Amino acid sequence: MSAASSASIRSSIISRLRAAGCVFAEDEARLLISAARTPADLTAMVDRRAAGLPLEHVIGWAEFCGLRIAVDPGVFIPRPRTEFLVRQAEFLAGRAAGPGENRDRVVVLDLCCGSGALGLALATVLAGAELHAADVDPDAVRCARRNTSTVGGQVYQGDLYQPLPATLRGRVGILVANVPYVPTGEVSLLPPEARIHEPRAALDGGQDGLDVLRRVAGEAPGWLASSGWLLIETSEAQAPLATDAFSRAGLIPHVERSAEFSATVVMGTMPPT
Ligand code: GLN
């Protein structure tokens, strides 16, 4: 194809995306063009995006912590803000391994794993980590299995801790969970990409958004190693109630915030015995 005609295809895609309300039309056009295998493929992808499907579902992947994470249609798309949680977990993993133990052998558990992005990112930076992940949604589990197969991740399907092998009890050094935390009454305010194309179970956290967080925190002490940490992302406003839930569960809570990522992470560890 001539340079002139590929430039005109690009500019017609950009105007089409802009008309459909895509704010980052230039970037999206570039990604769609590089993802399409044939001109017909490109047309179909632009149609799907213009009809409102999230870009990540159209091209089939999202970038997270510098990795390409496969995201199938109907699977929660990892958010850039959640990279902050991964950084906190990476920092804590050095301590979670415990004195004399090798930081690289830390056991990572990713609950509500969705595509498996958090677990994969952690297993990648903590080379040699033992990765376990779980999600209630079979589509997410399929996607997470694909994403984590290169790092030997074990992915289980079921409700929170229920599908996990009992042998994991008391061994988890880093327990991460990007639980659904949008209050039920605010789900309707989410952008249509999330509201229509992501599973409601991955977003709706109940009346105050903390239902799943409370359940994860409540059972965490049974699974954490003595020096292990639980880390969960919340909204800024939810941090005080989330901290209470951690304390009630018997964890010592701590909150970290990042203006750069606009992210809040509540983390907790067990009291020294
Ligand atoms: N809309 C929220 C976000 O973008 C959803 C996160 C969640 O519920 N895990 O962060």
Side-chain angles (χ1 to χ4, degrees), residues 67 120 123-124 131 144-153:
L67 301 168
L120 176 62
T124 304
L131 174 63
R145 285 199 174 125
R146 224 168 350 116
N147 280 320
T148 65
S149 62
T150 48
V151 293

Side-chain angles (χ1 to χ4, degrees), residues 100-119:
E101 290 172 49
N102 183 346
R103 151 196 160 108
D104 291 341
R105 283 311 299 166
V106 67
V107 176
V108 173
L109 172 59
D110 180 359
L111 284 188
C112 307
C113 70
S115 63
L118 279 69

Side-chain angles (χ1 to χ4, degrees), residues 76 79 81 178-182 190 202-203 233:
F76 180 84
R79 309 289 200 257
R81 73 160 55 83
N178 185 14
V179 300
Y181 63 81
V182 181
L190 291 172
L203 302 167
E233 182 179 296

Side-chain angles (χ1 to χ4, degrees), residues 135-154:
D135 200 282
V136 73
D137 180 345
D139 292 336
V141 168
R142 212 170 304 123
C143 199
R145 285 199 174 125
R146 224 168 350 116
N147 280 320
T148 65
S149 62
T150 48
V151 293
Q154 293 291 313

Side-chain angles (χ1 to χ4, degrees), residues 52-107:
L53 205 70
L55 176 73
E56 293 83 351
H57 286 158
V58 175
I59 61 175
W61 56 272
E63 193 192 317
F64 184 74
C65 293
L67 301 168
R68 224 177 234 220
I69 311 287
V71 188
D72 295 335
V75 174
F76 180 84
I77 298 162
R79 309 289 200 257
R81 73 160 55 83
T82 307
E83 295 187 6
F84 181 63
L85 186 155
V86 171
R87 291 201 187 172
Q88 299 302 312
E90 181 188 354
F91 170 74
L92 292 173
R95 303 201 234 158
E101 290 172 49
N102 183 346
R103 151 196 160 108
D104 291 341
R105 283 311 299 166
V106 67
V107 176

Side-chain angles (χ1 to χ4, degrees), residues 5-213:
S5 81
S6 79
S8 93
I9 289 171
R10 176 182 299 266
S11 76
S12 83
I13 293 173
I14 293 172
S15 355
R16 179 101 195 275
L17 295 175
R18 221 177 256 135
C22 304
V23 180
F24 302 104
E26 282 89 355
D27 296 338
E28 295 203 6
R30 187 176 35 78
L31 284 165
L32 289 165
I33 290 166
S34 68
R37 278 157 307 193
T38 64
D41 206 18
L42 180 57
T43 308
M45 288 170 102
V46 173
D47 286 346
R48 274 188 303 213
R49 179 62 186 128
L53 205 70
L55 176 73
E56 293 83 351
H57 286 158
V58 175
I59 61 175
W61 56 272
E63 193 192 317
F64 184 74
C65 293
L67 301 168
R68 224 177 234 220
I69 311 287
V71 188
D72 295 335
V75 174
F76 180 84
I77 298 162
R79 309 289 200 257
R81 73 160 55 83
T82 307
E83 295 187 6
F84 181 63
L85 186 155
V86 171
R87 291 201 187 172
Q88 299 302 312
E90 181 188 354
F91 170 74
L92 292 173
R95 303 201 234 158
E101 290 172 49
N102 183 346
R103 151 196 160 108
D104 291 341
R105 283 311 299 166
V106 67
V107 176
V108 173
L109 172 59
D110 180 359
L111 284 188
C112 307
C113 70
S115 63
L118 279 69
L120 176 62
L122 279 169
T124 304
V125 287
L126 308 170
E130 177 183 327
L131 174 63
H132 300 264
D135 200 282
V136 73
D137 180 345
D139 292 336
V141 168
R142 212 170 304 123
C143 199
R145 285 199 174 125
R146 224 168 350 116
N147 280 320
T148 65
S149 62
T150 48
V151 293
Q154 293 291 313
V155 187
Y156 314 90
Q157 193 212 322
D159 184 39
L160 302 184
Y161 301 92
Q162 170 269 319
L164 301 175
T167 47
L168 258 189
R169 283 187 175 277
R171 292 187 54 230
V172 178
I174 293 291
L175 203 177
V176 294
N178 185 14
V179 300
Y181 63 81
V182 181
T184 303
E186 292 173 24
V187 172
S188 63
L189 308 176
L190 291 172
E193 272 102 338
R195 198 162 31 81
I196 302 171
H197 298 285
E198 291 184 312
R200 187 162 179 122
L203 302 167
D204 187 344
Q207 186 167 11
D208 65 359
L210 296 171
D211 284 3
V212 184
L213 177 141

